[in-house]
Structure formats: structure tokens, C-alpha cells
Amino acid sequence: METLLTAQAVFYYMAAASVASALLAVTRRNPVHSMLWVLALFLHMAGMFLLLNAEFLAAVQVIVYAGAILIFYLFVVMLLDLPDEEARPRFERHWPFAALVGLSFASLAWLARSDMDLFEVGIAAAAKPDGPPLGSLEDLGLELFGPFALPFEMASLVLLAAIIGAILLARNRGAGA
Amino acid sequence: MIVPLQTILGLSAVLFGIGAFGFLARRNIILMFVSAEIMLNAVNLSLVGFSRHLEDPRGQVLALFVIAVAAAEAAVGLGLVIALNRNKPGLGVGDITELRW
């Protein structure tokens, strides 16, 4: 009971901190500060994944999202020298409409989830009573190399296409051709 | 289940709304991409919540694919940003006014 309460308290802390860091990330003037707030958001998200029995996904979140993707964004921000970025307006002129869109989407999803008829647990759990624990590496590996083998291979193709596309786009034309 | 699924879905909805606002409102193209990452992360959270609720690993596998696609999107998007910036410095979406390079 004590541990459950602690876990709940930690979860609600993570939830509050992730909302706060997301808000700060989209409103800060300095792009590097925004990136660092997004980093905080991703790390809190990884903590929530841990609490929701997704250990492998939490590790992937820290290593791939926070460690690789976000650092890549930071590199690009630092590579492109933006001296006057902080002096220019952060938002487009139409930002109140954007706020309206975000707010109405969030409240629609909020309303949709509160009277959703929550189907009960038991169907999938009963199907494999003595399998590996949910979210463990073994569990995800069995799925990835079983029913999800084709999408898994397709993901490698998507990443290959992205690598080739990024090199072609960012290559210096003068030096290349 | 330490928290009800509805809490997780509500949190995911709020984060998605914040990301949508950032994507539509920010001037800086890199910060627009980052807002899209916030939206993808919100969706991942709801996938993991469903996976936990239904005791089914497929939600987590889907979230893994979302992360792979986000990586691909980041690579192509930032390649585009660098190419655009080489032609014409400035990262505002308002700076990109020509259809040809």
C-alpha cells in the first residue's frame, strides 16, 4: 500500500513536471532553452514509462529520444548561427488561433476520454498466463520478431531512406557536383 | 495499475494540445519540429497507457515504431532546414517565401 502511494505520488509529480516543461518549451524565447525544457519533458516521460511497465521503452526514450534526436536538434541550433533570434518575435501573429486549436483539441480529447467505455482487462492477459513480464525486453523481442517482423524490417527501410535523403539535402552542392 | 487509464489519456491529451499550439504558433522552424516531437511523445504515452491497461505488449511495439519514425523525421527535417538556411539565412517560416532554390 505504501509503495503504491509512493508510485502514485511519483507519477503525479512526473505528470505535473512534464506539462510544465512542455509549456515552457513552447514559450521560451531562446531556442536552446526550449530544447533543454524538451529534454526535461522527455526524461520525465521516460520515468512515466518506467512506472507503466515499459522498461525497455523507457530506456529507448532516454537513449534514442533524449540522447540522439534531441542532441541532433541542439547541434543544428548551434550550427546555424542565430544571433538575432532572441530579438525577433517568438510567435506568429495568429498565435491566439493556434492557442484556440490546441485548447480545443485538448478539451475534446479530455471529454472523449472521460466518458469512454473502458473495456476491462483480462482478455489478453488470460491468453498467455506464463509469458515474459509485460514490457520486458524479452516480451517486446518476441513481438518484434514474431507478428511484427515485417513492420520491423520496414522501419529499417524508412531509416535508410531518411539517411539518404538527409545526406542528399544537406550536401553542399558546389563541393558535391 | 497505479493510476487509472483515464488520467494517462488526459495527460496525453494536454501534452498533445501544447504540442499542437507550439507547432502552429512558433515562428522558428526548428521549434516547430520540436513541438511535433512533443505531440509524438504524447501519443506514445497514451499507447503505453493502453498497453498497460490491456496487458498487451503491442502498444509498446507501436510506440517503438513511432520513435523510429520520429528519428527519420528529425533527420530529413533538419537536413531541409540546413539546406534552406544555406540559401537564405533565417529560420522563420515567414522567411521561406520562394518556391524555388
Side-chain angles (χ1 to χ4, degrees), chain B residues 72-85:
Chain B
E73 175 244 320
V76 175
L78 292 176
L80 272 173
V81 168
I82 290 177
L84 282 172
N85 198 265

Side-chain angles (χ1 to χ4, degrees), chain A residues 128-142:
Chain A
K128 44 161 208 163
D130 50 352
L134 176 73
S136 62
L137 188 52
E138 187 185 356
D139 193 22
L140 284 192
L142 283 175

Side-chain angles (χ1 to χ4, degrees), chain B residues 10-21:
Chain B
L11 175 62
S12 161
V14 170
L15 285 175
F16 194 98
I18 294 172
F21 163 71

Side-chain angles (χ1 to χ4, degrees), chain B residues 11-94:
Chain B
L11 175 62
S12 161
V14 170
L15 285 175
F16 194 98
I18 294 172
F21 163 71
F23 187 78
L24 293 173
R26 286 308 290 239
R27 253 193 64 259
N28 186 318
I29 199 164
I30 295 183
L31 290 175
M32 287 173 67
F33 277 126
V34 168
S35 304
E37 301 287 345
I38 295 178
M39 288 195 273
L40 288 171
N41 240 289
V43 173
N44 272 353
L45 181 64
S46 65
L47 283 173
V48 170
F50 275 122
S51 156
R52 179 73 189 81
H53 181 73
L54 297 173
E55 304 271 344
D56 189 328
R58 281 178 291 182
Q60 295 183 17
V61 174
L62 220 53
L64 209 58
F65 286 131
V66 170
I67 292 179
V69 171
E73 175 244 320
V76 175
L78 292 176
L80 272 173
V81 168
I82 290 177
L84 282 172
N85 198 265
R86 184 180 301 130
N87 274 29
K88 195 174 169 205
L91 278 183
V93 272

Side-chain angles (χ1 to χ4, degrees), chain A residues 4 7-8 11-12 15 18-19 22-23 25-29 31 34-35 38 41-42 45 48-49 51-54 56-57 60-61 64-65 69 72-73 76-77 79-80 82 85 88-92 94-95 98-99 101-102 105-106 109-110 113-116 118-121 124-125 128 134-135 139-140 143-144 148 151-152 155 158-159 162 165-166 169-173, chain B residues 1-28 30-38 40-42 44-46 48-83 85-86 89-95 101:
Chain A
L4 183 69
Q8 278 173 335
F11 186 91
Y12 285 116
S18 60
V19 169
L23 272 175
V26 297
T27 51
R28 285 310 87 188
R29 193 177 281 278
S34 280
M35 291 309 171
V38 174
L41 166 67
F42 285 174
M45 202 71 101
M48 278 191 280
F49 286 174
L51 289 176
L52 293 172
N53 283 43
F56 179 62
L57 214 58
V60 168
Q61 173 88 4
V64 177
Y65 241 126
I69 299 182
F72 185 34
Y73 276 102
V76 173
V77 170
L79 186 71
L80 308 173
L82 303 167
E85 186 62 28
R88 307 178 71 178
R90 286 171 267 198
F91 297 132
E92 299 276 7
H94 61 250
W95 72 267
V101 169
F105 181 86
W110 186 277
R113 108 223 124 117
S114 59
D115 51 57
M116 190 169 58
L118 282 181
F119 24 89
E120 268 312 304
V121 194
K128 44 161 208 163
L134 176 73
D139 193 22
L140 284 192
E143 288 291 324
L144 275 181
F148 285 93
F152 184 65
V158 168
L159 287 171
L169 282 170
R171 183 180 60 159
N172 195 337
R173 289 285 170 76
Chain B
M1 189 90 178
I2 58 164
V3 285
L5 175 62
Q6 275 157 345
T7 311
I8 298 164
L9 292 183
L11 175 62
S12 161
V14 170
L15 285 175
F16 194 98
I18 294 172
F21 163 71
F23 187 78
L24 293 173
R26 286 308 290 239
R27 253 193 64 259
N28 186 318
I30 295 183
L31 290 175
M32 287 173 67
F33 277 126
V34 168
S35 304
E37 301 287 345
I38 295 178
L40 288 171
N41 240 289
N44 272 353
L45 181 64
S46 65
V48 170
F50 275 122
S51 156
R52 179 73 189 81
H53 181 73
L54 297 173
E55 304 271 344
D56 189 328
R58 281 178 291 182
Q60 295 183 17
V61 174
L62 220 53
L64 209 58
F65 286 131
V66 170
I67 292 179
V69 171
E73 175 244 320
V76 175
L78 292 176
L80 272 173
V81 168
I82 290 177
N85 198 265
R86 184 180 301 130
L91 278 183
V93 272
D95 295 331
W101 283 12

